[in-house]
Amino acid sequence: MSQRYDLAQGSTRELNSWLHHYNGTGESAAWQVVNPNGAHNLAVGLDAPITVDIEGHVGYYCAGMNKYAQVTVHGNAGPGVAENMMSGLVRITGSASQYAGATAHGGLLVIEGDASSRCGISMKGVDIVVHGSIGHMSAFMAQSGRLVVCGDAGEALGDSLYEARLYVRGNVAGLGADCVEKPMKDKHKLELEKLLCEAGITGADAGEFRRFGSARKLYNFNVDNADAY
Amino acid sequence: MPTKRRRKHDNDKQELRSRLRESATFPRSVIAEIQRAARTGIYDIRGFGAKRHVPTFDDLLFLGASMSRYPLEGYRERCDTNVTLGTRYAKKPIELKIPVTVAGMSFGALSAPAKEALGRGATIAGTSTTTGDGGMTPEEREHSKILVYQLLPSRYGMNPDDLRRADAIEVVVGQGAKPGGGGMLLGQKISPRVAAMRDLPAGIDQRSACRHPDWTGPDDLKIKIEELREITNWEKPIYIKIGAARTYYDTALAVKAGADVVVLDGMQGGTAATQDVFIEHVGIPTLPALRQAVEALQDLDMHRKVQLIVSGGIRTGADVAKALAMGADAVSIGVAALIALGDNGPEFEDDYNRLDSSAGYYDDWHEGRDPAGISTQDDELAARFDPVLGGRRLANYLRVLTLEAQTLARANGKSHVHNLEPEDLVALTIEAAAMAKVPLAGTDWIPGHGKF
Ligand SMILES: Cc1cc2nc3c(=O)[nH]c(=O)nc-3n(C[C@H](O)[C@H](O)[C@H](O)COP(=O)(O)O)c2cc1C
């Protein structure tokens, strides 16, 4: 049976300390959080394979730095959801604001709606799957990991990115510096199918996606590239 | 040539030479830089801090004791030096024995043994050291009793375990050497270990971000800081580090964003790798910045409640004492700590010469070829450096800084270095008087405040 926490009666501090009791124990448990009302910093710093279901909208940095836990937001998420996540699964049934999954090192972030600008900024190994579209400057300086977008991508996708792989099904408004389209090989289709499946997204055929990555022209400073900086 | 003619020839030559007149606009260093730029097509990148002259603590003097002020007996009467940081919100404030901390310098810029030595030295001296733009290494955690963990725009190696392992957290908004600039680490120094810690391909020229990825202004930062506090159970002091720019307002905004401690880095502050033009031309010197930060804290009634650490060109116990007298709670050192470890040591003169440099001038820390084995990722060079000896030397230096600061505090009759005050100071130059807001020596004149 899951434990229930009502934020209308309690506080973020109390909720997080409850959830932190499991940290490092490896214990699993299930929590349901009601009346989040857009509160910031809910379920941050979790470090155990627990599940947390938040019934409603959340503010900034929900599930920040998550390890192992499965956090589901049944609503929309504010800026920086799952920022710097290390592992685990964060799912947003609605849409997410700016910097979703920023700098995250691992785990899977699923956004069932749209994501705003700078989705996956400086991502460092996380997988992000967005069912809808993403805003401008997404995957800026993305270092590693994979970003999958079933809808469209805004301006300057993947600007100055490193080794992250980007898959987009819809339109790309524009590519950022050093980001180029790359051939979709069988191994890419395979990894994409797996990601879509893990994210629980059906009805999107891996064959319809295009792949983008780094041209690696800005990896070492070269005077002749000065215009690109 | 017959002797007579030769002598005349030599005399003519000498006369010609002494008539050579260097241009003030185009001195030889400027000419050399134009030639270098024309040859390479890229700006000059280097380590160290600003080399130009700016008003500094050297332009201030202590008055000392006199008829109306009692001094304390040197060696016999106590002059305490302890500092507590993070009393505003943190459950576990930091307790330092001395008012000097070791500033954040990245693993990547510095070798792992050099980072270890900084931890060892700081620990022996009873103070803290700080990680940097590259994450926390196990070596430095192990050897640092008090370790401050930096949260930088790049977030290289950032993870919640290290956050919880840290004793304090420092959100880096800016650095004095380059307010508004991101980190830089050139390919030679991106070794496999450094690359893995930063999730980057080895050997690339890394230019890290200058803006944080998940907040944009003080209102966001307030929420970000709450997140860090939530993750670490409100235990750890949270510092905000700013480069000296619009310091009065930046300090006020740092307080508003919820800082326990403000770290202020003046323009002379060191760097591992930055464009020379950035180092020399952006930001304001430590002296006026410190005064502005103290004024902001006082205006908010937060002086001594939010602690202030100041850095940027601190070299001597006199610098330490003057910074404290102007209202800082502690100072922090970067370049001086590296020199104490052995950087620019005369014993490496031949090696420096081979790099077209000389002991006392070497600043190409970005190249990773440091003969002293400190600013390198080359295993052979790094092996030249002994972290135990380096740690000892740093501890010795920190003790000297403290002893010197105590000497000056006692001379001014103070039983704690924090009791030093602006009253104890005068300025030697009009510039320093205006910037530090202390009177020009022998007058009661502070430019902008009353008549000469
Ligand atoms: C080699 C080196 C590396 C540095 N790396 C960082 C860094 O990673 N993060 C940071 O905030 N500041 C960094 N700094 C700046 C120092 O933290 C500090 O602000 C500065 O060195 C203080 O001025 P000082 O060198 O005159 O004492 C670095 C400085 C040096 C010399």
Side-chain angles (χ1 to χ4, degrees):
Chain A
M1 228 204 51
S2 80
Q3 317 235 31
R4 194 181 142 94
Y5 190 88
D6 186 352
L7 272 165
Q9 313 289 325
S11 68
T12 302
R13 182 75 285 260
E14 193 187 49
L15 169 66
N16 285 335
S17 14
W18 275 115
L19 299 177
H20 289 174
H21 281 312
Y22 303 96
N23 280 6
T25 63
E27 255 177 72
S28 62
W31 281 73
Q32 190 194 28
V33 179
V34 297
N35 294 314
N37 278 328
H40 306 311
N41 302 322
L42 297 179
V44 297
L46 305 189
D47 185 6
I50 60 175
T51 64
V52 180
D53 280 273
I54 304 176
E55 309 292 342
H57 307 310
V58 297
Y60 280 61
Y61 309 127
C62 181
M65 303 227 183
N66 185 52
K67 279 176 78 186
Y68 306 116
Q70 278 195 28
V71 179
T72 306
V73 176
H74 299 271
N76 300 323
V81 64
E83 69 84 21
N84 212 84
M85 169 160 63
M86 305 304 290
S87 62
L89 170 65
V90 175
R91 178 183 293 276
I92 312 300
T93 66
S95 291
S97 182
Q98 312 172 78
Y99 351 112
T103 77
H105 289 68
L108 175 65
L109 168 63
V110 181
I111 297 162
E112 295 185 357
D114 300 318
S116 180
S117 59
R118 295 183 163 80
C119 178
I121 182 171
S122 291
M123 54 194 273
K124 295 168 167 54
V126 68
D127 290 323
I128 304 177
V129 179
V130 182
H131 204 172
S133 299
I134 58 172
H136 62 266
M137 291 298 276
S138 287
F140 174 59
M141 293 181 88
Q143 295 175 217
S144 61
R146 296 162 298 182
L147 171 63
V148 178
V149 186
C150 300
D152 304 330
E155 292 285 350
L157 176 70
D159 193 282
S160 308
L161 89 172
Y162 297 95
E163 294 297 295
R165 293 198 284 284
L166 319 179
Y167 296 100
V168 184
R169 184 165 67 160
N171 285 326
V172 174
L175 296 176
D178 214 29
C179 182
V180 291
E181 184 167 354
K182 295 187 165 185
M184 209 41 198
K185 296 185 191 145
D186 284 347
K187 64 173 182 188
H188 300 119
K189 273 187 204 149
L190 223 64
E191 84 164 357
L192 180 54
E193 267 161 18
K194 217 172 138 234
L195 275 169
L196 289 167
C197 177
E198 273 173 43
I201 285 174
T202 51
D205 175 6
E208 297 164 5
F209 285 76
R210 289 186 293 158
R211 178 170 77 101
F212 301 89
S214 177
R216 304 189 178 98
K217 288 214 177 94
L218 303 182
Y219 276 16
N220 290 96
F221 192 90
N222 180 339
V223 189
D224 301 325
N225 288 336
D227 293 349
Y229 292 100
Chain B
M1 232 189 281
T3 330
K4 222 170 150 188
R5 259 179 66 197
R6 187 163 63 224
R7 199 171 296 138
K8 180 169 179 333
H9 176 84
D10 287 352
N11 283 348
D12 288 353
K13 232 176 149 179
Q14 213 170 13
E15 193 201 307
L16 269 173
R17 282 210 166 276
S18 42
R19 274 177 23 216
L20 293 180
R21 184 175 168 201
E22 185 164 75
S23 161
T25 311
F26 288 93
R28 275 165 290 177
S29 58
V30 168
I31 290 174
E33 171 51 21
I34 294 173
Q35 289 161 343
R36 193 206 59 76
R39 198 169 58 246
T40 63
I42 182 173
Y43 38 49
D44 185 27
I45 297 172
R46 65 172 178 87
F48 230 85
K51 293 189 172 180
R52 64 155 71 223
H53 175 76
V54 295
T56 67
F57 293 117
D58 278 347
D59 300 315
L60 303 181
L61 293 174
F62 280 109
L63 288 172
S66 54
M67 292 284 277
S68 56
R69 301 281 190 284
Y70 291 125
L72 295 186
E73 293 284 356
Y75 306 108
R76 292 191 195 87
E77 287 178 302
R78 278 184 79 90
C79 175
D80 291 328
T81 60
N82 62 303
V83 185
T84 307
L85 301 168
T87 49
R88 187 182 185 193
Y89 292 118
K91 281 190 215 157
K92 295 186 179 167
I94 300 280
E95 300 284 350
L96 306 178
K97 290 203 184 112
I98 62 170
V100 187
T101 68
V102 177
M105 294 183 269
S106 71
F107 166 65
L110 303 185
S111 70
K115 287 296 285 175
E116 176 186 328
L118 294 174
R120 285 176 180 273
T123 301
I124 298 169
T127 189
S128 63
T129 185
T130 314
T131 65
D133 198 6
M136 184 190 288
T137 66
E139 293 96 319
E140 73 178 327
R141 176 60 281 189
E142 187 186 333
H143 294 287
S144 310
K145 181 153 181 284
I146 308 170
L147 183 59
V148 183
Y149 185 37
Q150 287 195 330
L151 181 98
L152 295 117
S154 68
R155 308 281 166 89
Y156 294 137
M158 171 50 55
N159 71 82
D161 300 324
D162 286 342
L163 266 183
R164 286 185 275 254
R165 261 194 281 277
D167 300 291
I169 298 162
E170 182 168 303
V171 179
V172 179
V173 176
Q175 214 181 302
K178 47 177 167 181
M184 208 181 240
L185 197 63
L186 301 189
Q188 306 90 302
K189 294 177 82 171
I190 312 271
S191 69
R193 181 176 177 196
V194 172
M197 272 182 76
R198 297 180 186 219
D199 299 282
L200 287 170
I204 67 160
D205 290 337
Q206 168 247 293
R207 292 148 294 135
S208 47
C210 61
R211 296 195 301 269
H212 279 262
D214 59 354
W215 60 269
T216 40
D219 298 324
D220 288 1
L221 178 54
K222 184 166 192 286
I223 304 169
K224 182 75 202 169
I225 284 178
E226 271 164 21
E227 183 204 8
L228 298 171
R229 293 197 193 279
E230 282 294 323
I231 292 171
T232 54
N233 198 22
W234 290 74
E235 284 175 358
K236 310 188 195 283
I238 298 195
Y239 306 2
I240 296 181
K241 176 174 179 175
I242 52 176
R246 295 164 189 83
T247 309
Y248 180 86
Y249 295 103
D250 291 341
T251 304
L253 290 170
V255 170
K256 176 179 183 292
D260 290 302
V261 175
V262 175
V263 180
L264 169 67
D265 193 23
M267 75 160 285
Q268 304 101 298
T271 173
T274 301
Q275 299 92 332
D276 177 82
V277 70
F278 211 149
I279 299 176
E280 297 288 352
H281 297 279
V282 185
I284 66 170
T286 306
L287 194 66
L290 170 56
R291 192 210 83 236
Q292 288 192 327
V294 172
E295 281 179 356
L297 293 172
Q298 284 168 338
D299 289 354
L300 294 167
D301 193 23
M302 279 293 176
H303 190 221
R304 306 281 185 220
K305 295 177 190 162
V306 167
Q307 286 79 34
L308 178 65
I309 302 178
V310 68
S311 61
I314 302 290
R315 309 145 301 168
T316 63
D319 291 341
V320 178
K322 290 168 188 174
L324 299 185
M326 283 180 63
D329 293 275
V331 302
S332 194
I333 56 167
V335 169
L338 299 187
I339 294 170
L341 294 186
D343 178 79
N344 269 294
E347 64 272 35
F348 302 114
E349 181 61 12
D350 291 344
D351 292 317
Y352 288 127
N353 291 164
R354 274 192 281 280
L355 299 171
D356 295 327
S357 188
S358 179
Y361 296 87
Y362 184 65
D363 60 11
D364 285 328
W365 292 338
H366 61 292
E367 289 181 348
R369 296 190 289 171
D370 187 352
I374 295 169
S375 61
T376 185
Q377 294 303 322
D378 178 301
D379 288 339
E380 246 169 69
L381 287 172
R384 288 181 171 193
F385 176 76
D386 175 354
V388 178
L389 180 65
R392 271 262 142 235
R393 293 172 50 131
L394 174 59
N396 282 342
Y397 172 62
L398 289 167
R399 282 189 181 131
V400 171
L401 291 181
T402 308
L403 283 168
E404 287 178 344
Q406 282 173 306
T407 302
L408 295 173
R410 284 200 187 92
N412 287 281
K414 305 299 185 328
S415 59
H416 194 295
V417 288
H418 283 166
N419 295 344
L420 286 164
E421 54 196 327
E423 282 273 274
D424 297 319
L425 293 169
V426 293
L428 280 170
T429 65
I430 294 173
E431 287 82 357
M435 291 183 189
K437 268 198 196 166
V438 300
L440 190 65
T443 77
D444 53 11
W445 183 51
I446 298 171
H449 299 265
K451 284 202 205 113
F452 181 74

